Amino acid sequence: GNSVTQMEGPVTLSEEAFLTINCTYTATGYPSLFWYVQYPGEGLQLLLKATKADDKGSNKGFEATYRKETTSFHLEKGSVQVSDSAVYFCALVAQGGSEKLVFGKGMKLTVNP
Amino acid sequence: NAGVMQNPRHLVRRRGQEARLRCSPMKGHSHVYWYRQLPEEGLKFMVYLQKENIIDESGMPKERFSAEFPKEGPSILRIQQVVRGDSAAYFCASSLDRNSYEQYFGPGTRLTVT
């Protein structure tokens, strides 16, 4: 079946540090890939997405590139801020099926000043 | 535009009681999804509905759980005879149409079964 595996953390970084959160997936065909962010006490917000191979999604300084050959969609940010403290979820929607999201377990990030 | 609304935000039920969770999608959205987040786990899909239709309920437990999205009013996730293992955060998401691939999430309902 379809699945997403991501770094689970928790991870603590200092402000302005470089961030990478690894995400790999298993799916048939060409799924659409997403990163969602959940701030404390809130629902999930779409951070970025990519719908085909080699697409790069970007938003708020975060980037992720859809790599079909390595079935990966790693999230990166060059310089994190305290306000980036949240839980980050990698997810996919399988091609041709129901539009349900399949999520990784999430990774909690804490950024200290 | 108001976002996806869920109520209540927190719900406490004793074992054996019923829990009703409500979700009002974003204005203009006719597709609703329910997900459950158990402690220390990611979100798991439960059910996908359009107005008056269940499209995919492959993630719903076979017993005690039901969902509806009537022509008028919010979507309801109903859990009968709750057990402690039902304690979780339940999130609703909505989308504009089947192919948008963008789901907008509500703040969730945190159910605690005592």
Side-chain angles (χ1 to χ4, degrees):
Chain A
N2 302 317
S3 65
V4 174
T5 303
Q6 64 171 109
M7 288 172 58
E8 295 185 21
V11 169
T12 301
L13 296 174
S14 297
E15 207 165 21
E16 300 184 2
F18 182 83
L19 170 71
T20 298
I21 305 177
N22 289 340
C23 171
T24 57
Y25 68 88
T26 300
T28 55
Y30 292 85
S32 295
L33 303 174
F34 304 84
W35 277 99
Y36 279 84
V37 58
Q38 184 180 26
Y39 298 103
E42 299 183 12
L44 278 71
Q45 300 176 23
L46 178 63
L47 181 59
L48 52 83
K49 68 176 182 180
T51 56
K52 61 182 187 292
D54 299 324
D55 267 3
K56 177 186 282 187
S58 61
N59 185 25
K60 299 181 181 179
F62 291 89
E63 292 183 341
T65 301
Y66 188 145
R67 301 287 187 200
K68 180 67 176 175
E69 63 276 13
T70 55
T71 61
S72 65
F73 193 54
H74 305 321
L75 183 68
E76 295 183 338
K77 186 173 185 180
S79 176
V80 294
Q81 306 300 313
V82 172
S83 57
D84 294 326
S85 297
V87 180
Y88 292 82
F89 293 93
C90 186
L92 68 81
V93 169
Q95 181 186 28
S98 165
E99 281 63 43
K100 61 188 177 187
L101 284 158
V102 176
F103 286 92
K105 289 191 173 182
M107 196 209 77
K108 182 176 181 179
L109 170 68
T110 301
V111 180
N112 293 323
Chain B
N1 275 336
V4 177
M5 299 177 68
Q6 290 187 250
N7 66 81
R9 292 293 304 274
H10 300 274
L11 181 62
V12 179
R13 285 288 178 265
R14 291 196 180 97
R15 280 179 298 170
Q17 290 185 321
E18 179 179 285
R20 281 186 180 234
L21 288 62
R22 294 173 183 77
C23 169
S24 296
M26 286 183 69
K27 186 176 181 179
H29 286 193
S30 59
H31 297 242
V32 166
Y33 310 79
W34 285 94
Y35 296 86
R36 176 166 64 174
Q37 185 178 30
L38 294 169
E40 308 301 323
E41 292 190 20
L43 282 77
K44 302 290 187 185
F45 168 79
M46 299 182 76
V47 63
Y48 165 33
L49 309 105
Q50 293 180 35
K51 288 281 188 181
E52 300 184 281
N53 286 307
I54 296 175
I55 306 302
D56 181 352
E57 56 181 347
S58 59
M60 287 279 271
K62 298 300 181 190
E63 299 177 347
R64 301 189 296 108
F65 285 72
S66 62
E68 63 177 5
F69 188 18
K71 186 176 180 181
E72 302 291 337
S75 175
I76 305 289
L77 179 67
R78 182 181 178 205
I79 311 172
Q80 295 178 291
Q81 300 175 333
V82 295
V83 300
R84 287 217 172 105
D86 297 333
S87 295
Y90 292 82
F91 290 95
C92 166
S94 72
S95 68
L96 181 63
D97 56 41
R98 187 180 182 96
N99 297 316
S100 69
Y101 291 150
E102 290 198 28
Q103 296 181 23
Y104 296 83
F105 281 78
T109 293
R110 279 154 181 82
L111 172 66
T112 301
V113 179
T114 61

